[in-house]
Amino acid sequence: MKIERIELREIRLPLVAPFETSFGVTTQRRIILVKVFSEGLTGWGECTCNEGPFYNHEGTDTAWIVLRDFAGPYTVGQEIAAPEEAIQLTSRIRGNKMARAAIETAIWDLWAKRRGMPLWQLLGGTQEEIPCGVSLGLQETDAALLKKIETELSAGYQRIKLKIKPGRDYEMVKAVRREHPGIKLTVDANSAYTLNDIEMLRRLDEFDLMLIEQPLAYDDIIDHAELQRQIASPICLDESILSVDDARKALSLGACRIINIKLGRVAGHTEARKIETYCRERNVPVWCGGMLEAGIGRAHNIAMATQAGFVLPGDVSASKRYWTEDIIVPPVEVTPRGTIFRSDAPGIGYEINEARIEQLTVRRETIGD
Ligand code: OSB
Ligand code: MG
């Protein structure tokens, strides 16, 4: 298959409610969409980076340049014999995996459409419905947080994840646990702590957390291994795992017992599947993370999460929790038992609302003709 053309566009999409983490508040997303063209068919990808370089080094503007000036030109005009080859076209680029994944995932969608099969099947997925949790941003007060939790549990979500940061941790988690003794509960620090905080992190053991996500530095596995030796709660790494090699090293050091797989962070479906397989063969649970994606990224996440190793509830939830109107049709919907059904339509399995995307577009670029 020859990649004939790539269209890039940036859309602006306001969130239904601001989302606050230990590294900042997001109110409006600036999302890059990628459309690849080959032999009369198209595939779509979504760049999952945040607006600024705070979760990792990538941001909307730097990803735009990487896509427009490097990843796009390296891909257009090239011939591939399998979707696994797509990521190799941009392998000269170091880092910038979210930008590279936007093209890689679009090519997987296109390949699946070419074969007339759903992407989940092309990836080797087996699960018909995927278990879902929600990630709740930091709230002004515990009362506000408890109210949000109530809403999400009523909607059926199977697991609640709380964002924590210094000053909003032990007491807040305690208040939640007191109200909800039986729920599956996790916390995500987005690297807000160091080994100096070990005492507080150990006290979180009181709350029977399913996992503590990325407590220490975004690029660390050594200190996480030290921390894991000293606490009972399983550590789950997010930011620190960029490849199957990273997963192997972290697991062999004992830096974590669970891994959050995000498609963009690991450069797309090919590497995500390698991590899933590596972990599944060793009985290490994985789950699908989220990056406040619009519908295209969300649909790719759902396809990925049908793979058998995704055994824990992920952060992929209903479109309406984020958007008044999504860019796919139908929007992603969650069942009353907190699951999302895979789609059996070809490719990512959702229709792209191109008219809406057109309205939301603030810049565009075409690579190839
Ligand atoms: O660490 O999982 C994270 C959002 C932006 C950046 C990082 C993270 C998150 C989330 C949101 O937790 C997950 C979602 O998309 O619902
Ligand atoms: Mg995280």
Side-chain angles (χ1 to χ4, degrees), residues 313-325:
D315 275 350
V316 185
S317 57
S319 297
K320 67 173 182 208
R321 295 189 60 250
Y322 300 87
W323 323 115
T324 50
E325 187 190 352

Side-chain angles (χ1 to χ4, degrees), residues 131 243 271:
S243 64
E271 194 71 17

Side-chain angles (χ1 to χ4, degrees), residues 2-22:
K2 186 175 176 183
I3 310 298
E4 293 154 3
R5 182 162 90 245
I6 292 180
E7 280 176 15
L8 305 177
R9 54 175 83 220
E10 178 188 331
I11 61 166
R12 304 253 162 126
L13 205 52
L15 285 162
V16 165
F19 190 87
E20 181 172 354
T21 67
S22 63

Side-chain angles (χ1 to χ4, degrees), residues 225-259:
E226 176 61 26
L227 177 63
Q228 184 68 91
R229 280 191 285 277
Q230 301 204 35
I231 65 175
S233 309
I235 292 175
C236 170
L237 290 176
D238 171 353
E239 282 90 331
S240 296
I241 305 296
L242 307 183
S243 64
V244 68
D245 274 338
D246 287 350
R248 172 179 56 78
K249 292 171 194 173
L251 289 166
S252 75
L253 274 178
C256 66
R257 297 187 192 140
I258 297 172
I259 290 175

